Amino acid sequence: MILRRTVLAAATALAAATAMTSPASARQRAVKDARTAPLRTRSANEQLAALRERRITSRELLEQHLKHIAKANPQMNAVVTLDADGARAAADKADRHLASTGKTLGPLHGLPMTVKDALEVEGIRTTCGSPALTDHVPDRDADVIALLRDAGAIIIGHTNVPTMCQDIQTSNPIFGTTSNPFDATKTAGGSSGGPAAAVAAGFTSLEIGSDLAGSLRLPAAYCGVYALRTSRGPSPIVPTRGHIPRLPGWATSSDMITLGPIARTVEDLSLLLDVIAAPSPADRAGWKIDLPAPAKTKLGQYRVGIWADDAYCRVDANTRALLGQVADLVRGLGATVDDATRPVDFTESDKLFQRLMYATSSATATDEAFAADVAAAEKIPADDPSGLFLHSRTMRHRDWCVADEARQNLRATWDRYFNDHDILITPATPTAAVPDQTGTPAPQRYITVDGQKRSFYDQTSWLNLTSPVGLPSLVLPAGRTRTGLPLAIQIIGPYLGERTVLAAARQLAQRLPEPIRPSAFAD
């Protein structure tokens, strides 16, 4: 077995490979730290075990989280709305139930959690960062929030998002900017920047994020935590009603959006997935979600594709080195590795995704705004690349049907790929977290990759390989830069292959460097 903290030692581009102590001393230090650290720093599974065994009460664990939020959140601005009184009442109720019955309320009994400020929570202001929703207090939980409550979770409050989740960094006029927990000058990503930063900083052990254009996975990559975009076919496997930016009261959501877990361990991702993977309430009388078991039991048995770089979206030297080391690690375990793999045409896949994304985003435009878009689109030739946004946003239904047929064909191409491969490993992002550019107008934003200026939106290109086709994809921390920023990889699996992806990630995580924690985690 390859021990944690011993792999990637040859990757000089990664600071994770320098200044390592021996595995034995690292384990001894971890055990000592665990004995003295508050329980809130442990995994969700460990916190739940302590609650079940009555080594701590839900109220005591909640107070640990609230105290930490009060101390460390002002500098980071990840948690933006607190319902401390409501959380205390719910925690006390959970404690009384366990004391009187000896039974838990569910698999998340008494566990404090924050949730993204795009998910409606009954009785708690839910704004999605929009001034138009400043005073919006839902009278009904989003379906996924109801699942959390039914499982016994204690909802603390909301975490920050960009306005209407429409940015890949996190800032809005109501609450301001959420900074990256490792470097305040860097972005936490978006739109689930608040959730990912909160998990990284120890404000919560679990979160729910949403993902259309990498909104769940980009922040996880930048904040050094784990996240899973769940499968989506004709229906999502995690119900999405009650998610904004479809406006409050809408019964539908984008046909590409998914909800998924964020956590500090793979095991915690699995825990939360088991709670939230469920049909919508209207469908529960007739069917249930029953995800298949992992394709293989050992990582060395997997058939692994490695797509380390591509001319369409080049990655930087750190990321290339990381993917090379991961490929060597997987190959060293005995897995069959295909490092020349190209499942789909990257350019065509991304263009189709953009067309479908722009089309679905038009649903909540006002009649006046949409009419203006139609008029503007008519002035741009159909084959002019500059018209991609407007032509896609205003496409006729027939054009959408043609685009959807292309999507189904793309899904079939991926299905054929996974006949011969169990998982595909790719970069998560071209670089580690980039500078926050909240104050820069969108057309002037850019990122730098190995000294070259690139499109700001290249940050999510690798993540968007799976967005139009609804494949499960997991981001996991796998190293760090010399300046201490997390680096991540992405594992993609076949449709409904969440357990295969999770099993592979769990075994990889055991052999990769221990994820780094920001200073705020222990404050």
Side-chain angles (χ1 to χ4, degrees), residues 230 385 520:
T230 51

Side-chain angles (χ1 to χ4, degrees), residues 181-383:
F182 290 91
D183 182 341
T185 69
K186 301 294 192 293
T187 179
S191 63
S192 301
V199 172
F203 302 150
T204 181
S205 58
L206 296 176
E207 255 277 5
I208 301 285
S210 53
D211 194 309
L212 192 159
S215 289
L216 170 70
R217 294 162 290 157
L218 179 70
Y222 285 172
C223 294
V225 293
Y226 298 84
L228 174 65
R229 178 186 167 99
T230 51
S231 293
R232 175 156 191 149
S235 296
I237 69 166
V238 177
T240 57
R241 190 213 56 79
H243 177 270
I244 306 170
R246 289 293 170 92
L247 297 175
W250 277 59
T252 60
S253 62
S254 163
D255 62 346
M256 290 189 292
I257 202 162
T258 69
L259 304 181
I262 305 173
R264 290 191 296 271
T265 71
V266 180
E267 291 79 9
D268 285 355
L269 287 182
S270 297
L271 167 72
L272 189 50
L273 176 67
D274 287 343
V275 169
I276 63 177
S280 64
D283 293 329
R284 288 174 195 167
W287 56 279
K288 63 180 181 178
I289 304 293
D290 186 13
L291 296 171
K296 305 287 193 306
T297 58
K298 295 181 180 180
L299 190 56
Q301 300 169 329
Y302 276 56
R303 299 164 301 171
V304 181
I306 305 282
W307 194 352
D309 203 358
D310 194 274
Y312 182 75
C313 187
R314 291 291 184 201
V315 301
D316 70 2
N318 279 342
T319 305
R320 286 194 300 274
L322 177 63
L323 267 291
Q325 292 296 317
V326 170
D328 290 344
L329 169 59
V330 173
R331 187 180 285 109
L333 294 171
T336 301
V337 175
D338 174 8
D339 52 14
T341 195
R342 295 293 184 274
V344 296
D345 184 299
F346 204 150
T347 304
E348 291 303 312
S349 173
D350 198 51
K351 182 178 180 181
L352 176 62
F353 167 70
Q354 291 182 58
R355 293 191 67 212
L356 291 167
M357 178 179 65
Y358 297 147
T360 193
S361 71
S362 69
T364 55
T366 64
D367 291 344
E368 294 79 8
F370 187 70
D373 286 343
V374 170
E378 289 173 348
K379 298 176 183 177
I380 304 175
D383 58 352

Side-chain angles (χ1 to χ4, degrees), residues 40 44 47 61-70 73 76-84 87 108 110-121 124-126 141-142 144-149 152-161 178 191-210 216 225 259-264 272 275-276:
R40 64 150 188 88
Q47 292 178 36
L61 183 58
L62 170 65
E63 296 299 340
Q64 286 189 13
H65 283 86
L66 291 175
K67 180 180 178 181
H68 183 51
I69 291 169
N73 185 62
M76 194 179 307
N77 195 35
V79 180
V80 293
T81 300
L82 274 176
D83 180 24
L108 299 181
L111 185 73
M113 281 185 63
T114 58
V115 293
K116 185 176 181 179
D117 191 23
L119 293 165
E120 293 190 297
V121 179
I124 299 180
R125 183 171 70 150
T126 305
D141 283 334
V144 73
I145 300 299
L147 291 170
L148 295 179
R149 290 199 201 269
I154 308 299
I155 306 301
I156 303 175
H158 277 310
T159 44
N160 206 22
V161 299
T178 296
S191 63
S192 301
V199 172
F203 302 150
T204 181
S205 58
L206 296 176
E207 255 277 5
I208 301 285
S210 53
L216 170 70
V225 293
L259 304 181
I262 305 173
R264 290 191 296 271
L272 189 50
V275 169
I276 63 177

Side-chain angles (χ1 to χ4, degrees), residues 491-514:
I491 305 177
I492 300 170
Y495 176 58
L496 300 178
E498 273 81 356
R499 302 209 188 282
T500 291
V501 168
L502 285 162
R506 184 179 299 111
Q507 294 180 57
L508 264 179
Q510 292 169 355
R511 295 163 172 86
L512 289 168
E514 191 80 25

